[in-house]
Amino acid sequence: MAAVDCDVPMEPEPQMMSEEEMEREAECFKEQGNAYYIKKDYSEAFNYYTKAIDTCPKNASYYGNRAATLMMLCRFREALEDSQQAVRLDDCFMKGHLREGKCHLSLGNAMAASRCFQKVLELEPDNSQAQQEDKNAEAVMDYEKMAECGFEKRDFRKVVYCMDRALEFAPACHRFKILKAECLALLGRYPEAQSVASDILRMDSTNGDALYVRGLCLYYEDCIDKAVQFFVQALRMAPDHEKARLACRNAKALKAKKEEGNKAFKDGNYEAAYELYTEALTIDPNNIKTNAKLYCNRGTVGIKLKKTEQAIEDCTSAIKLDETYIKAYLRRAQCYMDTEQYEEAVRDYEKVYQTEKTKEHKHLLKNAQLELKKSKRKDYYKVLGVGKNATEDEIKKAYRKRALMHHPDRHSAATPEVQKEEEKKFKEVGEAFTVLSDPKKKSRYDSGHDLDDDGMSAGDFDANNIFKAFFGGPGGFSFEGNSSSGPGNFFFQFG
């Protein structure tokens, strides 16, 4: 078969531009980039400066212009690379050194920034911009030193202040932001710390420091399981991250020890629970919320172990760590009630009710206020030396004993002062018996009512008449002194 000749159209070979033409085209791209830069359309300016660089890659000013555009776009690392390339091509390119210094400073490398500004001042000693920027770099270095000192002294507020000042000059420095976020977390300002860390993670999801801070916030908010996940992720991204490793270890240890304590408590092993909670409290003093719960839990154990004063101290420690911890206020208030410290109990219940206005909290507050009111009256039960649940028979026996003990005739040979005191006590005993032996008065007294307001005044009585009535009337009982036995010694004669 005969071959067929085909005319295949050939693409024309591209004509090579001369160096001069390429330079002109590059200049054209640069001018277009400048126009967009003036209009603040930095993305388009970046595109045209890139075209200029691609056309003529040995021109320092093109890299300098693109660096300026990248700085306006807050892409400081890329801007730094362009600035460094610019000064490599032209070591006397003053703007290139200045921009390199600004990029270093924005990224938080104040020492490198200062070297760049010094280079500018070598080229142009009177450059006021370089002079000011060099002062800014020195200020950042000073803030870094103060922050480091503050962190060592655990003055976290000072560190936050220093980092805020430094970030005014170094807005793109992740290191400063992370240190600030960590200190915010240590100060308990978790939402602020989370916000800073999240901003960094949006730009760099693999940032181990930011992942660590996110975990730290969750850890300090007692979300230990979620915190461990972030610590593990941080260690995956940065295997040598010692802070993440330590925090992960503490989180796991704290959770395990707390759960052991909870189990011991549920099993009724209160001594073991008390020790386990105590051990847990030594793991991480910085974990405020978890430690507040541990103190409150230990306080609960203290109540079970009849260590009421220790329980009050533990609840107070919990409240110092977390002033919003309602359970600690309630537990301490109950301890105050049990120890008849009613004013303190009312204060705690008022705090609880102001925070959470529930029916239960209102009832607890009213009950404490009632007990406080009752405590300010004479305690007739104490006067007779009986408990508040004493029976009628126990009240009578107590009256018999106290009335005989304080009867004025028994102390007729005593000093006037003693006689007066014993007479007072005798009347109080009679007054107490008058109320507690009358079911209606006793009920009103126990419920906190003022007997005077109800027409049941306990004061309308004669202690001697009550005594005579109790012991069987006139002639039924008498005290006779025995002169040979000395003053204050009597024998009782019943009729």
Side-chain angles (χ1 to χ4, degrees), residues 225-475:
D225 289 333
K226 287 184 180 179
V228 168
Q229 291 175 11
F230 273 97
F231 294 143
V232 169
Q233 195 176 350
L235 287 166
R236 196 176 295 127
M237 299 301 167
D240 296 328
H241 203 300
E242 282 305 314
K243 286 185 176 180
R245 191 183 309 282
L246 176 62
C248 190
R249 186 164 62 243
N250 282 347
K252 290 178 179 178
L254 197 55
K255 182 187 176 188
K257 194 66 71 175
K258 183 182 174 186
E259 288 178 350
E260 283 183 63
N262 292 348
K263 185 177 184 303
F265 181 81
K266 287 177 183 176
D267 292 342
N269 193 350
Y270 302 129
E271 290 286 356
Y274 192 92
E275 289 303 318
L276 287 163
Y277 289 139
T278 300
E279 289 172 22
L281 282 163
T282 65
I283 292 172
D284 186 359
N286 291 323
N287 196 321
I288 293 170
K289 283 207 169 182
T290 303
N291 287 343
K293 291 181 180 179
L294 288 168
Y295 273 119
C296 192
N297 287 2
R298 195 172 73 173
T300 305
V301 177
I303 294 170
K304 293 289 186 182
L305 294 171
K306 308 299 181 186
K307 298 178 180 179
T308 309
E309 288 303 320
Q310 181 62 52
I312 290 172
E313 286 182 22
D314 279 343
C315 291
T316 301
S317 296
I319 290 165
K320 283 180 180 177
L321 292 176
D322 182 1
E323 292 182 355
T324 66
Y325 195 9
I326 295 299
K327 189 182 285 187
Y329 282 106
L330 287 170
R331 204 148 284 165
R332 186 173 71 174
Q334 185 56 56
C335 289
Y336 284 140
M337 292 292 286
D338 293 342
T339 53
E340 299 183 2
Q341 299 179 65
Y342 299 120
E343 287 188 9
E344 291 82 355
V346 167
R347 190 160 54 243
D348 277 355
Y349 283 132
E350 283 177 340
K351 173 73 175 179
V352 170
Y353 186 63
Q354 287 168 4
T355 307
E356 293 181 1
K357 289 181 167 59
T358 66
K359 286 183 179 179
E360 181 188 358
H361 295 159
K362 186 176 183 180
H363 172 72
L364 290 168
L365 174 58
K366 283 194 168 183
N367 185 54
Q369 289 171 333
L370 176 61
E371 292 300 324
L372 175 61
K373 179 182 176 183
K374 286 160 66 174
S375 72
K376 292 183 181 297
R377 308 172 305 173
K378 285 182 184 176
D379 188 337
Y380 292 142
Y381 291 101
K382 280 187 177 178
V383 170
L384 292 181
V386 296
K388 293 184 179 179
N389 296 317
T391 64
E392 183 179 350
D393 190 48
E394 287 171 335
I395 289 170
K396 285 181 178 179
K397 286 181 179 179
Y399 171 70
R400 176 188 293 274
K401 179 181 177 182
R402 295 294 172 112
L404 293 173
M405 185 186 300
H406 300 298
H407 194 285
D409 288 351
R410 186 179 183 185
H411 302 279
S412 59
T415 62
E417 291 79 9
V418 171
Q419 288 182 17
K420 186 175 181 180
E421 183 63 27
E422 293 299 327
E423 183 180 359
K424 179 184 175 185
K425 289 179 180 178
F426 179 69
K427 287 181 178 179
E428 286 179 348
V429 168
E431 183 181 339
F433 182 69
T434 299
V435 173
L436 299 183
S437 63
D438 184 316
K440 191 174 182 181
K441 288 182 179 180
K442 182 177 184 296
S443 175
R444 302 291 286 173
Y445 174 79
D446 287 343
S447 62
H449 286 84
D450 193 328
L451 298 180
D452 289 334
D453 293 344
D454 296 334
M456 297 182 178
S457 175
D460 297 335
F461 72 94
D462 186 310
N464 288 309
N465 288 341
I466 295 169
F467 183 85
K468 289 174 184 177
F470 187 87
F471 287 103

